[in-house]
Amino acid sequence: MIPLLPGLRVLDLTSVIYGPLIGQVLGDLGAEVIKVEGPEGDLARGIQPRGPQGDSAMFVCNNRNKRSVVLDLKTPAGCEVFTRLLRWAEVFVHNMRPAAIERLGFGFDKVAAINPQIIYCAAVGFGSGGRYAGRPAFDDVIQAAGGIAALPSYRGQDPAYVPGVMADKVAALTATYGVMAAIAARGRGMAGPIEVEAAMFESVAAFVLNEHLAAAAFGGPPEVAGYHRMFAADRRPYRTQDGWIAALPYTEQQWRRLLDFTGRRDVLEAPWFADPGERSAHIAELYTVLAEEMTRRSTADWLQALQDLDIPHARVNRLEDLLTDPHLQDVDFFAPNGSGLARSARQPVSYPGLAAQPDRPAPVLGADTEEVAQMLGYDASALAALRAGGAFGKAG
């Protein structure tokens, strides 16, 4: 935990990855985050594999530095406690569909009336101003809608999902910077409630189109969208004699050094090579040359040669390779730091000179319910009444 946001009070009504990652980043930066779950708990808790306390790796990797409160928001007593939490909070984050949060009575207008200084973050699937607003959205759906799944088709392959929860994480980081901007605005004197809406579809569309908008940015027809270098068949991981490697010469000098090293004078002396525009037009041919040459040496030989030539490169790591990567070990990327896990990927942003504090492990379901209720001013008799009213469900 990096103490940059100490004392910032965050109320987290989220589940799975998209919403919880927002709260975890804020918690990792020192905010006080209270996660509210229904009696059944966050859906992600039950996904395999599970740890010794019964919670999944997915849950514990997205919910550290939080406290867990169980509330049944289908009961008046549960909603009463939640309303007190909204008065306590400076930031409220949810990833419920708009109609569902409105049914509970905690849409933006209602919450702003409860707490006129709230920063209200709605992490939604599709933006409220469009015709898709309110549709259900999961990662695969957004990868398809946002253009990620179709990218392989530009190389003549079938559409495919990235085998990772790409859309959730891109959208979560988008939402996080939206919340951070609102926090900064509050610190610079902006008063009143601030509504932040972060949509998965728009987040992924912006992420994909950053480079792929290409000539369409200048008013060209839609079919000219696409960064042509990315669609070259041989811009890919390259097979060596004994493995796989990534290499990306980019500048003229990098290509010259590589082609000289491999003895490809035929390419160096081609009439188009020295002209930047022409070289770009022939980039697919250059990648094909690179693919051919990579097969002539071992991975170890290429890693050394590319380092000597000062050309961007990397071994193609598998997931298990990352767990023992020497650079990640050098920077303590997997340092447990009090998280209770053997490995926990820390925030990739570092602040040299600022001492880290121990992380709070991801909470057991409802572990902090009574402590938080007491913080909100409920005494023993009031707690008993809340239990009787079903505020905490069976877990309470």
Side-chain angles (χ1 to χ4, degrees), residues 135-188:
R135 287 186 181 181
F138 288 102
D139 198 272
D140 291 359
V141 172
I142 299 300
Q143 284 199 39
I148 292 177
L151 291 176
S153 68
Y154 290 87
R155 290 180 168 179
Q157 302 164 7
D158 289 340
Y161 302 131
V162 175
V165 189
M166 176 70 71
D168 275 45
K169 291 179 286 189
V170 169
L173 296 177
T174 302
T176 303
Y177 78 65
V179 170
M180 292 291 222
I183 293 169
R186 178 73 78 230
R188 297 175 69 86

Side-chain angles (χ1 to χ4, degrees), residues 27-48:
D28 284 353
L29 296 176
E32 183 179 357
V33 183
I34 293 178
K35 180 181 177 75
V36 172
E37 302 176 69
E40 69 286 351
D42 186 332
L43 177 65
R45 286 185 183 269
I47 295 172
Q48 296 291 349

Side-chain angles (χ1 to χ4, degrees), residues 150-273:
L151 291 176
S153 68
Y154 290 87
R155 290 180 168 179
Q157 302 164 7
D158 289 340
Y161 302 131
V162 175
V165 189
M166 176 70 71
D168 275 45
K169 291 179 286 189
V170 169
L173 296 177
T174 302
T176 303
Y177 78 65
V179 170
M180 292 291 222
I183 293 169
R186 178 73 78 230
R188 297 175 69 86
M190 181 179 286
I194 301 174
E195 186 174 13
V196 178
E197 181 180 87
M200 293 175 72
F201 178 44
E202 287 92 317
S203 296
V204 170
F207 183 82
V208 170
L209 288 174
N210 179 278
E211 73 277 12
H212 284 304
L213 196 60
F218 304 114
E223 59 268 22
V224 301
Y227 184 31
H228 72 285
R229 288 173 178 261
M230 296 292 183
F231 301 146
D234 284 318
R235 181 162 179 165
R236 55 183 174 82
Y238 300 114
R239 185 183 289 279
T240 66
Q241 288 180 342
D242 58 358
W244 295 87
I245 198 168
L248 188 61
Y250 201 82
T251 68
E252 178 181 349
Q253 290 306 312
Q254 288 171 349
W255 277 112
R256 284 190 179 279
R257 291 196 297 271
L258 181 68
L259 293 168
D260 185 62
F261 174 77
T262 56
R264 295 300 300 263
R265 300 299 307 175
D266 58 317
V267 180
L268 282 170
E269 294 170 2
W272 49 264
F273 182 81

Side-chain angles (χ1 to χ4, degrees), residues 38-383:
E40 69 286 351
D42 186 332
L43 177 65
R45 286 185 183 269
I47 295 172
Q48 296 291 349
R50 299 186 193 180
Q53 291 187 313
D55 288 326
S56 71
M58 179 183 288
F59 180 84
V60 300
C61 287
N62 288 283
N63 288 282
R64 65 175 172 249
N65 292 318
K66 301 180 185 181
R67 291 189 283 172
S68 172
V69 170
V70 165
L71 292 176
D72 187 346
L73 298 183
K74 296 177 182 177
T75 67
C79 288
E80 176 199 318
V81 179
F82 193 73
T83 298
R84 285 204 192 187
L85 280 169
L86 285 169
R87 293 193 183 103
W88 165 88
E90 296 172 85
V91 177
F92 170 49
V93 182
H94 77 83
N95 66 334
M96 298 180 69
R97 290 165 70 179
I101 196 73
E102 290 289 348
R103 281 197 301 271
L104 283 177
F106 299 115
F108 174 71
D109 290 339
K110 297 286 183 63
V111 170
I114 293 167
N115 182 346
Q117 295 300 313
I118 197 72
I119 294 170
Y120 183 108
C121 177
V124 298
F126 300 90
S128 61
R131 65 190 63 194
Y132 305 154
R135 287 186 181 181
F138 288 102
D139 198 272
D140 291 359
V141 172
I142 299 300
Q143 284 199 39
I148 292 177
L151 291 176
S153 68
Y154 290 87
R155 290 180 168 179
Q157 302 164 7
D158 289 340
Y161 302 131
V162 175
V165 189
M166 176 70 71
D168 275 45
K169 291 179 286 189
V170 169
L173 296 177
T174 302
T176 303
Y177 78 65
V179 170
M180 292 291 222
I183 293 169
R186 178 73 78 230
R188 297 175 69 86
M190 181 179 286
I194 301 174
E195 186 174 13
V196 178
E197 181 180 87
M200 293 175 72
F201 178 44
E202 287 92 317
S203 296
V204 170
F207 183 82
V208 170
L209 288 174
N210 179 278
E211 73 277 12
H212 284 304
L213 196 60
F218 304 114
E223 59 268 22
V224 301
Y227 184 31
H228 72 285
R229 288 173 178 261
M230 296 292 183
F231 301 146
D234 284 318
R235 181 162 179 165
R236 55 183 174 82
Y238 300 114
R239 185 183 289 279
T240 66
Q241 288 180 342
D242 58 358
W244 295 87
I245 198 168
L248 188 61
Y250 201 82
T251 68
E252 178 181 349
Q253 290 306 312
Q254 288 171 349
W255 277 112
R256 284 190 179 279
R257 291 196 297 271
L258 181 68
L259 293 168
D260 185 62
F261 174 77
T262 56
R264 295 300 300 263
R265 300 299 307 175
D266 58 317
V267 180
L268 282 170
E269 294 170 2
W272 49 264
F273 182 81
D275 180 84
E278 287 296 308
R279 191 169 59 252
S280 177
H282 287 79
I283 195 66
E285 297 171 46
L286 286 170
Y287 292 146
T288 297
V289 169
L290 185 55
E292 293 169 353
E293 294 300 326
M294 284 289 166
T295 63
R296 306 186 196 282
R297 292 176 170 81
S298 70
T299 297
D301 288 345
W302 270 119
L303 290 172
Q304 186 61 58
L306 292 165
Q307 181 172 323
D308 294 342
L309 294 167
D310 195 26
I311 291 172
H313 66 281
R315 184 191 303 272
V316 175
N317 281 329
R318 293 178 61 82
L319 298 177
E320 54 269 27
D321 297 327
L322 292 175
L323 303 182
T324 58
D325 183 89
H327 175 87
L328 294 180
Q329 291 180 337
D330 291 342
V331 299
D332 291 328
F333 186 73
F334 292 110
N337 194 27
S339 67
L341 299 173
R343 291 188 183 90
S344 179
R346 64 166 174 80
Q347 285 299 322
V349 178
S350 60
Y351 301 86
L354 187 61
Q357 298 175 355
D359 284 324
R360 177 193 291 266
V364 173
L365 178 62
D368 307 290
T369 300
E370 291 210 5
E371 176 190 340
V372 170
Q374 290 167 357
M375 176 197 75
L376 294 172
Y378 292 102
D379 60 19
S381 61
L383 280 170

